Amino acid sequence: MGHQTLVDAGKPGKPANTKKLFIKTYGCQMNVYDSERMADVLAPVGYSCVDSPDGADLVVLNTCHIREKAAEKVYSELGRMRKLKEKNGGTMKVIVAGCVAQAEGEEIMRRAPVVDLVLGPQSYHKLPEMIAKVSREFGERLETDFDTQEKFDLMPKARTVDGPAAFLTIQEGCDKFCTFCVVPYTRGAEFSRPVDQIVSEARALVSQGVREITLLGQNVNAYRGAAPKLDSEKHWGLGQLIRHLSKIGGLDRLRYTTSHPRDMDDELIAVHADEPTLMPYLHLPLQAGSDRILKAMNRGHTYAAFKDLVAKIRKAKPELALSSDFIVGFPGESELDFKRTLEAVEEIGFASSFSFKYSARPGTPGAALPGQVDEAVKSERLARLQDLLTRQQKAFNQSLVGKTLSVLVEGTGRGENELFGRAPYLQGTHFTGSADLIGQIVRVEITDAGQNSLRGVLANG
Ligand code: 5AD
Ligand code: SF4
């Protein structure tokens, strides 16, 4: 998941005589997807998105609880919302949604009276009904049920599309219980959407011009969804689903995230080799290089097993690049343990990674472990790890110079005739070309590489 990004899902283009909705999204791509779906749920009852909370009728903060910092941001944002509400005569409604809502519903109501409604991630389909209740001032203000199936069944079928690349949630929740992680508590048990439901959502996206879909799930490769009727099997895994989606005409690129090493089965690996629609880029969190720490984290595999898995995947798809997540300063992590993480990164080589200081999350087993690591030590380790990861990322991008890559053109860039798109390895790619290429996949010869982006020229033919 691209966890540290802060994304505004607010979209301009509001018709007259509608209520103004501002959604602020924190955290991972699943929240980005959920925010888009909340906008879809609210559109039929008269809300359209604006890109500022000032003057909005309804503000939704779609929150993230994965680390302490992410959760604290919500409370400071609520302080700003309180001032805005006062300034605009007190009619603005404020909703806290997402994982902080699920984990700290009662506390939010206590700490931030500005909040009208607290809504967990499985209750978004109830938004119009809940807002109506709150407006009549006798309704329940906290809704944190866990019925994932109902949520997907009752969401509107139509989706508002914003560009040629889209997210599609296929799985939610997690049964792995890594000892550092709140997800099993905030998103609940694993739930996989039925294949037919996913296929019809994908088709609808494609009919609106989408060319690339990223399949989302907290533990996406544990996907086991009800197979289409008449199929000889009851359930399909992620590999089968991807093979099926690859047949949709006009859907040219597929990705999936976030996966767990233990759920990378042979079928899924074979699909990487067989299906050109599946992009040669895989996010596979390792978290730590020391077996002792992996065990304490309850990851369920050793470093050697991870290395073997990577070898198998690379054998199936040699041009595949990997990205990963790392945590430094998990309770009990010694300097030697940490060095194992550095060695693992050196040995495997990642194209891009997210790395974090361990953040003790209330209610998780990790928070109660002895040997909590000093903040200063965590900071120092994170700096060393990030230095190595940044060097690898730059070297990887540099290795693409001179190559011709397929780029999905997403929009215009800053300069005149400048276009912006995504390479197979997700780097933003800048080049010159005509705006009618937006939404198409073009070949770009890479001429320059920075830490996060590439520059190139349109290749002929
Ligand atoms: N502290 C620090 N990082 C965490 N992550 C999850 N929980 C924590 C935590 N308590 C990181 C992991 C995971 C990613 C989504 O966020 O690296 O893969
Ligand atoms: Fe959290 Fe582990 Fe589940 Fe990923 S696999 S969501 S890190 S518990």
Side-chain angles (χ1 to χ4, degrees):
M1 291 184 268
H3 335 275
Q4 335 115 307
T5 44
L6 190 82
V7 205
D8 274 349
K11 291 187 199 88
K14 165 192 69 75
N17 298 328
T18 53
K19 291 172 267 183
K20 295 177 190 161
L21 164 68
F22 175 74
I23 305 182
K24 183 159 188 165
T25 310
Y26 302 81
C28 65
Q29 290 106 321
M30 193 169 294
N31 269 6
V32 176
Y33 175 86
D34 283 345
S35 291
E36 288 175 5
R37 303 301 285 150
M38 282 191 260
D40 292 336
V41 168
L42 289 169
V45 288
Y47 286 93
S48 53
C49 286
V50 293
D51 47 16
S52 159
D54 201 355
D57 299 288
L58 177 64
V59 169
V60 178
L61 303 183
N62 191 7
T63 62
C64 171
H65 201 241
I66 198 92
R67 285 169 293 276
E68 189 182 355
K69 259 198 192 148
E72 277 306 315
K73 274 192 201 149
V74 177
Y75 290 102
S76 57
E77 188 66 16
L78 284 173
R80 278 195 289 277
M81 292 306 141
R82 184 172 51 82
K83 290 194 190 115
L84 266 184
K85 190 170 186 162
E86 282 163 11
K87 181 182 140 201
N88 292 332
T91 54
M92 174 175 109
K93 296 255 170 298
V94 178
I95 296 181
V96 177
C99 295
V100 179
Q102 189 67 41
E104 300 184 2
E106 304 281 350
E107 168 142 1
I108 294 169
M109 311 265 251
R110 198 174 47 75
R111 268 177 75 175
V114 65
V115 175
D116 296 284
L117 190 62
V118 174
L119 208 63
Q122 310 316 337
S123 309
Y124 298 154
H125 55 291
K126 296 185 191 157
L127 259 169
E129 175 199 335
M130 295 294 291
I131 292 169
K133 274 191 191 165
V134 173
S135 305
R136 294 196 301 267
E137 300 202 343
F138 59 79
E140 193 52 59
R141 290 175 58 218
L142 180 67
E143 178 64 65
T144 48
D145 272 3
F146 259 138
D147 194 338
T148 316
Q149 174 158 0
E150 184 184 287
K151 161 176 148 177
F152 285 115
D153 288 348
L154 297 181
M155 283 277 195
K157 299 284 171 274
R159 277 190 64 177
T160 313
V161 161
D162 186 15
F167 294 131
L168 201 174
T169 294
I170 64 164
Q171 183 276 337
E172 261 200 74
C174 183
D175 297 341
K176 289 279 190 301
F177 289 92
C178 300
T179 54
F180 53 80
C181 187
V182 286
V183 167
Y185 312 95
T186 55
R187 292 273 174 166
E190 279 175 12
F191 169 80
S192 295
R193 296 177 71 187
V195 171
D196 285 343
Q197 206 181 61
I198 295 166
V199 171
S200 58
E201 193 168 325
R203 281 191 196 284
L205 288 170
V206 171
S207 73
Q208 294 178 83
V210 167
R211 309 282 302 267
E212 172 180 310
I213 294 180
T214 302
L215 306 173
L216 300 180
Q218 262 97 28
N219 193 7
V220 72
N221 56 346
Y223 175 83
R224 250 186 90 67
K229 278 194 198 83
L230 304 178
D231 194 81
S232 55
E233 290 169 70
K234 268 210 164 106
H235 291 96
W236 283 8
L238 182 59
Q240 271 167 299
L241 178 69
I242 290 173
R243 284 194 200 279
H244 194 66
L245 291 173
S246 296
K247 294 188 198 127
I248 297 179
L251 179 53
D252 300 305
R253 289 174 151 198
L254 286 167
R255 307 176 182 277
Y256 62 91
T257 198
T258 287
S259 36
H260 193 291
R262 266 162 64 199
D263 293 313
M264 284 304 300
D265 61 29
D266 289 346
E267 165 67 358
L268 185 53
I269 295 173
V271 172
H272 273 281
D274 301 344
E275 289 294 347
T277 46
L278 186 56
M279 290 293 96
Y281 190 57
L282 174 61
H283 185 66
L284 198 61
L286 172 59
Q287 314 293 1
S290 148
D291 285 344
R292 217 170 58 84
I293 297 300
L294 285 170
K295 186 152 196 276
M297 287 176 163
N298 192 32
R299 292 293 288 174
H301 63 80
T302 59
Y303 171 58
F306 186 88
K307 216 167 70 171
D308 289 349
L309 175 64
V310 166
K312 209 161 150 186
I313 298 167
R314 283 181 166 156
K315 187 160 174 238
K317 184 80 178 173
E319 71 269 37
L320 181 137
L322 286 169
S323 70
S324 201
D325 289 339
F326 296 95
I327 295 176
V328 301
F330 186 78
E333 185 187 73
S334 66
E335 173 64 21
L336 207 69
D337 290 317
F338 172 65
K339 285 219 171 93
R340 296 271 177 270
T341 300
L342 294 177
E343 284 162 15
V345 172
E346 290 275 13
E347 192 164 40
I348 290 176
F350 294 95
S352 158
S353 286
F354 299 100
S355 45
F356 314 100
K357 289 193 264 185
Y358 171 69
S359 166
R361 308 309 293 129
T364 61
L369 286 176
Q372 299 286 328
V373 176
D374 218 59
E375 269 315 297
V377 175
K378 284 185 203 168
S379 300
E380 186 258 346
R381 287 180 188 165
L382 186 67
R384 281 154 72 198
L385 175 61
Q386 289 189 337
D387 180 60
L388 173 60
L389 291 169
T390 305
R391 271 188 282 132
Q392 285 194 343
Q393 186 170 336
K394 284 183 182 159
F396 176 74
N397 288 350
Q398 197 60 44
S399 76
L400 299 172
V401 173
K403 294 203 166 125
T404 300
L405 302 178
S406 78
V407 172
L408 174 59
V409 189
E410 292 191 1
T412 49
R414 265 165 297 202
E416 207 179 326
N417 289 330
E418 177 104 333
L419 294 178
F420 170 85
R422 295 266 166 207
Y425 307 107
L426 274 185
Q427 303 98 331
T429 305
H430 304 265
F431 57 100
T432 303
S434 130
D436 35 286
L437 293 176
I438 292 169
Q440 296 188 31
I441 294 172
V442 296
R443 308 280 300 160
V444 175
E445 187 186 334
I446 305 305
T447 51
D448 269 303
Q451 183 181 329
N452 296 307
S453 63
L454 305 172
R455 173 164 291 282
V457 290
L458 271 175
N460 295 323

